[in-house]
Structure formats: structure tokens, C-alpha cells
Amino acid sequence: MCGIVGYVGVRQAAPILLEGLSKLEYRGYDSAGIAVRDENSEHVEVVKAKGRLRNLMQMTDSGNAVRGCCGIGHTRWATHGEPSAVNAHPHYSKEKRVVVVHNGIIENYQDIKDMLRRKGYVFSTQTDTEAAALLLDSYYTEPGRSSLSPRERALGAIRDMMIRVRGSYALGILFGDQPGVIYAARKDSPLILGCCEGEMEGHMIASDVPAVLQYTRKVVYIDNLEIACLTREEMHVYNIDCEEIEKPVAEIRWDAAAAEKDGYEHFMMKEIHEQPRAVRDTLSPRIKEAEDGTRSIDLSETSLTDDDLRAVSRILLIGCGSAYHVGMAERYVIEKLSRVPCEVELASEFRYRDPILAQNCLAVIVSQSGETADSLAALRLCKERGVRTLAVVNVVGSSIAREADAVMYTWAGPEISVATTKAYSTQLAALYLLAVKLAAVRGSIDAAREQALIGELLALPEKIERILGDKERLQWFANKMAASKDVFFIGRGLDYAISLEGSLKLKEISYIHSEAYAAGELKHGTISLVEEGVMVVGVATQPELFEKVVSNLVEVRSRGAYLFGLTTYGQYAIEDTVNFTVYVPRTDPLFATSLAVVPLQLLAYYISCAKGLDVDKPRNLAKSVTVE
Ligand code: G6P
């Protein structure tokens, strides 16, 4: 979604804001704007532009044309009001008394607008944010507040606004009569503060770590319903009662280089290649070897004891997008190994159906960003109902990580490309560990099987490397496929879960219409769409289902489909049926998702490149979906 950056300090703010925004552009990018205050001038200067950030950069000579050491900036992903310069943030009240950037949604903005119109306020945009800006102005200028100090006035007004608005927000705020001060507030949208030293001396706000990484690694996580006040020298955080509170400063372990392209043309390709490392980093620290060489899985970080795991009666796997697909795959793995019943839940649907949450349920919330609004809401519902929650999250310190009862971090490192690859792979890896651990403590697998499975897990990174070493064939095939209008992915069991992710990758970045079907379902309707030349990808990694998937492929071939077969080495019979085959190394079939997904990621990538599309920033999509 939208990205926020703010800086107050010794340096010129605008170039820092633009640089920070460029690191957040992946969150949303239909327009951008900055507001900067020069201490010697009367006014805050606001510059906004529709389209990519480069438009704003051109308008401001990369920020050099806008003078001042204090400012806020924003990249927008439109929710209320079309993408335009007018609707771009910052939004402000008359004479720029109050200037605001906002990430999130103000749900009751119409009521607020009506109320403010009755007081004489005039709105010039279609956004919900302008309602928050003008509401803040109305509180800030209340006659009763005139005797207060500027900071008390600002804090009181922000608090009153937070009480009045419904919805989610991370806000960066400038007050026209308070040069050199940035205020910030949050509820259900991510926001961090950065502490800069040396020649950058000052403070920052940002909606995500990459925006500040180049300037500092010292950050403070702002919690819900907290307000921050930043100047060059000072940082203060207050609760909703405007009482100052102490916040710990955390050190970010990622370095700025981890968020650079490293010689790859696109972040997606770089991240695809980081998968062996990321999967290894997620698995290895949790696998312990005893002196006699036997290995075991250590999940003590989650504080789930063996007794807890034995008592689990049901597992809910909850997520959105690819994280949901991780759940779809893990259901097969967990149920097969541990015999604990699993349900896979779309976080966006979960809370609206009044779910039945039994005692001893374990809710596993899967999320790369740890900020997805629906996943966070599902987590909160589980907690409210007394269900124990485990977060499988990539971003350290994110909302889901902090609010869950326990966390298993996926050590993918920063993922910039909107289409997830390495985060998905590490989520799979983390949950394989849970599956094997559950099975081992519950006695549903014996020691030999446990050792074999752990051995297979440890071999996955090297097998992913082998797949990456043979990617040119896929590039050739992708060029042929780029003209496709529709692509169907089919598979059974785990291969259906893989198909879902392969299909999502393709449509996300190539804009080709694509659907995934459980192969047996095809003939109940969808097969009517198959005609001469339609591409069908058949995933057949599961030995016991291989022949069934192949016979479904034969059915579509006889209707004219052009077939891509994806299977494991050894299953060469598929070549009699399909037009093009890709083999992945053999592993335990339960872990095949981790290997089979890689050619599908590469396929989507190469097709997107062949079509000349913006691989890392596909249209209309955002990396971190912090609105419902
Ligand atoms: C967005 C991203 C997807 C991601 C989904 C869930 O749609 O583009 O790649 O799978 O959100 O995000 P999360 O951060 O919760 O994993």
C-alpha cells in the first residue's frame, strides 16, 4: 500500500524523502508527493505528481529544488479517489496549517466531511485523508487550545482526531506554525521511527524499514494508538492520553545492500536466486544435531512445548495471497505426517463467518510483511476467542509478529519485488519444521522417518540451486508462451497447491489470465474453455497421483491444449503426453512444493520480461496490503 517517509535533521529533507520513497515504491505507486518546511520561510512547500516517483523527481530536480530540513513524503496506492496530482498526498488545510500524509483508510470520512462542511470547511480532493487533515485542523485551531504550548496543542488535536476517526492509519503530520517538528501517529498501519546520527543527525518516520536503512539501523516501533513527536535533537512518544512513554530502540540486522539489486536486472530474479540461502537460513538454525549424529527440530523459540504440541486438536492456517497458498500446501504435509486436522483460511473471509474455534486449536498466521490488514484482524479474532496464535512472519518487529503469542521468523531477508518468491519458500520451510516436529512428538512417525525427513529438508537448498542452474530452457519456452491469452494450471493433492501459486505468479506479473484447478475438477466445467492452442500446465510431482494427472492432461490435449508438464526426474513417461517438460530433483513428495514452485516462478518472470512489463512493480498490486 502507500508509503510514508519523513525526515527532520541537519540535512536537506527533500532528497532524503525521495530516496526513501524510492525504496517504498513497491508498496504502491500511482502518485507521490512531498511537503517540506524551510525554517526561514513562512510556509510549508508541497509538490505532488501523478504517476511514478520519477515524475516527482523531475519536478523537483531530485529534491534539490525544494529547500528545508524538515519534511514528509508519500507514495500513493489509490483507494478513495482516482490517481491524480490533486488526490496525491500530502493533504492540507487552509494556508497549510496542517499537512498530512496517510497510509490506511479512514472509514467514517464521509461523516467527518459532512460535519466539517457544516463548520465551513471546503474539500478539494476525493480522498479520505483530507477528512483527517481538516479534522485535525479543526481541533488544532479550537479557541480553547490557544493558551497551550504548541506541542500540547498538537498532541491534544491528534489525540482528539484519533478518537474521532474509524479505520486504520499511519500518519505523518506537519503543523505550519511549528517549524522543525514532525508528528506521527498510528493505528493498524505500520510505522517506524529512525534515529539518525553523524552527518545525517536527526529523526525519520517511515512505513517500512527499507526507507530508512540507508541512513540508520536504529529504529523504534510505534504501537497502535501512539503518537510521536520528532525534532532534529529529540524523539518523544506518547500514548493516547498524551502521557510520554519509553520506547526501546531496536537495531535492524539487514544492511542496505540486502535491499539492492546486486547486479540482477530485477529484484524478483535476485530474490528467486536467494531462495537456497533463505531456505537454508530458515531451516538450519532450528535443526540440532546430537553427538550420535541424530538430528531433531528445535522450536523452543515459539515456547510451544512438546506437551503443547501433543495437545493441539486442530490447526488453522491463515493468510492471504501466496501465504494462503503456503497453507494449502502445508495442510497436506501436516495432516499426512501428524494426523492433526488442518483448515486453511483466507484471512479476508475468516472473521466474517463467525468461525468455530475449538479449545486446543493452534492458529498459524502466515505473512511476509506481518502487516496485512486481514491477517492481522484474523490473528486478533483468534486471540479474542482464546485460541493460541503462532505467527510465521518475515519482517521482524511487524504487527503480526508482535501481537501473536509466538513467532517463527522466516529468514528470507527484505523482499522487494511485489510478487513474492523467497518469502513463500521460507514460509513453506518453516511450516515443514512444524509438521515434522508435531509428528515426532505425537508419535505419528517413527524415529527413522523423522531422521529421513530432516535429511530431506536439509537437502532442499542445494536442490533449488540445481533448478536455478538450468533456467535457460525455461526462458526459451517463456518466449513462446508470452502471447498466450489463457493458461490453466492443473494438479492433484499437493500439486494442486503448487498450481495455485504458479498460476498466481503468472497472472500477477504477466497479466495473462490464468486459473488453477484441482485436475479432477476440470471436467466439471472449465474444460469447456479449452480449445486449440490453450496452454495447460500440468503439475505431477506426487508419485501416487502421477498417472491420474497425466490422464487429465490427455483429456485436455485431445481438445487441442498445448501442454507443459512439470514433474520429478524419473517420471519420463510424461513426455509421451506433453509438448514441453521440466524436471525437478526428487525429494520426499511432501516437500515437492519447494522445488516445483521454482520453475513456475521463473516461467512467470521470463514471460513478464518477454512482454516488456514492469516485473517488480506490476500494475494495481501492492506488496504490503495494509487496508482491508
Ligand atoms: C500481497 C502480496 C502477495 C502476498 C499477500 C500477503 O497481495 O502482493 O505477494 O502474498 O499480499 O502478504 P503477506 O505480507 O501477509 O504475506
Side-chain angles (χ1 to χ4, degrees):
M1 296 289 109
C2 311
I4 291 178
V5 183
Y7 171 76
V8 52
V10 292
R11 294 256 304 270
Q12 288 297 307
I16 295 168
L17 299 178
L18 292 170
E19 180 64 30
L21 291 176
S22 74
K23 300 287 189 294
L24 294 180
E25 233 193 338
Y26 67 91
R27 297 170 66 89
Y29 35 82
D30 53 48
S31 51
I34 53 172
V36 177
R37 174 67 188 266
D38 184 347
E39 291 195 22
N40 304 316
S41 108
E42 291 285 292
H43 291 294
V44 178
E45 185 172 353
V46 173
V47 191
K48 314 200 249 188
K50 186 180 168 188
R52 287 289 160 85
L53 194 60
R54 59 177 172 263
N55 299 350
L56 185 62
M57 289 188 152
Q58 274 162 9
M59 280 171 76
T60 60
D61 183 19
S62 297
N64 295 314
V66 186
R67 308 294 299 165
C69 297
C70 174
I72 51 181
H74 188 268
T75 50
R76 176 169 187 250
W77 187 86
T79 55
H80 297 65
E82 57 170 23
S84 66
V86 170
N87 287 333
H89 299 215
H91 293 291
Y92 45 85
S93 61
K94 209 167 156 194
E95 291 160 4
K96 307 202 185 87
R97 271 191 306 245
V98 176
V99 182
V100 166
V101 290
H102 166 222
N103 177 16
I105 289 182
I106 307 295
E107 287 167 4
N108 55 341
Y109 76 105
Q110 282 297 6
D111 290 353
I112 293 171
K113 276 185 159 181
D114 292 346
M115 182 270 288
L116 290 173
R117 277 198 188 103
R118 288 195 292 275
K119 288 187 172 182
Y121 278 91
V122 177
F123 288 83
S124 31
T125 80
Q126 300 153 315
T127 64
D128 53 333
T129 304
E130 195 183 14
L134 270 51
L135 181 65
L136 198 49
D137 182 278
S138 80
Y139 290 135
Y140 191 63
T141 53
E142 268 175 6
R145 288 205 153 98
S146 58
S147 59
L148 298 175
S149 72
R151 184 171 305 175
E152 284 169 342
R153 206 143 56 96
L155 290 174
I158 294 170
R159 177 205 51 213
D160 290 353
M161 180 221 41
M162 291 165 83
I163 291 168
R164 181 70 168 78
V165 301
R166 276 201 321 274
S168 61
Y169 49 81
L171 294 165
I173 306 159
L174 301 180
F175 290 96
D177 60 357
Q178 295 193 43
V181 192
I182 298 177
Y183 290 88
R186 85 161 261 199
K187 178 176 168 274
D188 293 342
S189 271
L191 188 67
I192 58 166
L193 310 179
C195 316
C196 307
E197 288 161 350
E199 58 179 32
M200 270 294 295
E201 185 194 328
H203 291 100
M204 296 187 77
I205 63 171
S207 39
D208 204 354
V209 170
V212 303
L213 216 45
Q214 195 176 333
Y215 306 111
T216 182
R217 293 199 204 159
K218 289 194 177 149
V219 301
V220 169
Y221 294 103
I222 294 291
D223 282 304
N224 267 347
L225 299 176
E226 290 180 354
I227 309 169
C229 171
L230 308 177
T231 64
R232 191 184 87 190
E233 302 93 351
E234 293 172 26
M235 168 190 287
H236 301 278
V237 182
Y238 304 87
N239 63 19
I240 189 82
D241 298 321
C242 301
E243 295 157 348
E244 186 156 1
I245 47 177
E246 285 286 319
K247 300 289 286 185
V249 178
E251 185 95 20
I252 301 290
R253 285 205 275 154
W254 306 344
D255 61 11
E260 299 297 334
K261 278 190 211 148
D262 228 3
Y264 288 95
E265 201 177 333
H266 299 103
F267 279 109
M268 183 173 178
M269 195 50 143
K270 175 185 175 236
E271 289 160 5
I272 286 174
H273 279 81
E274 285 173 341
Q275 292 181 109
R277 195 269 312 143
V279 170
R280 195 175 288 123
D281 287 356
T282 302
L283 291 172
S284 302
R286 293 161 172 143
I287 295 178
K288 305 282 184 248
E289 191 164 331
E291 277 181 8
D292 65 359
T294 54
R295 296 176 177 126
S296 59
I297 292 168
D298 177 4
L299 298 184
S300 48
E301 71 200 289
T302 65
S303 64
L304 286 165
T305 63
D306 288 1
D307 282 343
D308 292 335
L309 293 177
R310 275 188 279 270
V312 169
S313 62
R314 196 155 67 104
I315 292 182
L316 299 171
L317 297 159
I318 307 172
C320 298
S322 296
Y324 170 75
H325 294 163
V326 167
M328 289 294 284
E330 296 290 348
R331 173 170 61 185
Y332 293 100
V333 184
I334 295 173
E335 289 191 342
K336 183 92 179 177
L337 290 176
S338 70
R339 309 308 296 155
V340 178
C342 288
E343 276 159 56
V344 193
E345 304 279 356
L346 281 169
S348 52
E349 292 290 314
F350 183 66
R351 72 193 126 134
Y352 297 115
R353 65 172 177 76
D354 194 9
I356 301 163
L357 300 174
Q359 280 283 306
N360 288 331
C361 239
L362 175 66
V364 181
I365 318 293
V366 186
S367 174
Q368 187 284 128
S369 61
E371 300 292 351
T372 303
D374 286 316
S375 305
L376 185 57
L379 166 86
R380 289 182 180 155
L381 178 66
C382 291
K383 287 186 73 177
E384 254 168 56
R385 302 267 183 99
V387 169
R388 191 162 185 164
T389 53
L390 169 66
V392 175
V393 166
N394 194 41
V395 177
V396 175
S398 55
S399 303
I400 292 175
R402 284 181 297 144
E403 292 190 26
D405 298 317
V407 195
M408 251 177 113
Y409 281 112
T410 52
W411 298 116
E415 192 178 61
I416 307 296
S417 173
V418 167
T420 179
T421 52
K422 61 175 180 170
Y424 170 87
S425 287
T426 54
Q427 289 161 353
L428 282 176
L431 286 171
Y432 293 154
L433 291 171
L434 179 68
V436 176
K437 178 80 182 175
L438 261 175
V441 300
R442 296 167 75 99
S444 53
I445 56 172
D446 62 19
R449 177 90 170 116
E450 181 190 1
Q451 293 307 305
L453 288 168
I454 294 176
E456 288 286 0
L457 286 179
L458 289 171
L460 285 176
E462 187 269 325
K463 290 178 182 174
I464 298 174
E465 251 153 39
R466 268 162 52 200
I467 300 168
L468 293 172
D470 187 27
K471 54 184 187 290
E472 276 68 31
R473 275 185 77 232
L474 269 163
Q475 185 169 15
W476 170 84
F477 185 75
N479 287 330
K480 274 176 73 78
M481 241 177 108
S484 299
K485 291 269 176 291
D486 305 284
V487 178
F488 297 99
F489 287 70
I490 60 171
R492 286 169 181 256
L494 262 175
D495 289 329
Y496 170 52
I498 299 168
S499 299
L500 286 167
E501 180 61 7
S503 168
L504 179 65
K505 284 290 89 83
L506 185 68
K507 66 185 138 209
E508 276 180 314
I509 60 170
S510 77
Y511 312 155
I512 293 174
H513 167 250
S514 165
E515 303 291 338
Y517 281 94
E521 274 297 296
L522 209 61
K523 53 172 106 39
H524 298 293
T526 311
I527 202 163
S528 68
L529 299 174
V530 175
E531 56 186 5
E532 198 62 35
V534 163
M535 171 74 60
V536 176
V537 179
V539 186
T541 66
Q542 302 297 299
E544 80 274 22
L545 296 168
F546 178 80
E547 282 177 8
K548 293 203 184 297
V549 175
V550 170
S551 61
N552 294 132
L553 287 171
V554 172
E555 286 161 11
V556 288
R557 189 186 59 182
S558 58
R559 272 101 185 151
Y562 190 81
L563 300 182
F564 175 116
L566 175 58
T567 186
T568 51
Y569 282 108
Q571 303 278 29
Y572 303 118
I574 201 166
E575 302 217 4
D576 300 338
T577 306
V578 304
N579 303 87
F580 182 82
T581 317
V582 169
Y583 297 99
V584 293
R586 288 192 207 207
T587 178
D588 189 289
L590 290 175
F591 304 146
T593 316
S594 292
L595 303 183
V597 76
V598 179
L600 299 182
Q601 295 167 343
L602 288 165
L603 186 69
Y605 173 82
Y606 284 130
I607 292 177
S608 180
C609 292
K611 293 181 76 171
L613 300 174
D614 193 345
V615 177
D616 287 332
K617 296 173 196 157
R619 69 183 179 206
N620 304 341
L621 298 179
K623 177 106 193 121
S624 180
V625 181
T626 49
V627 294
E628 209 182 308

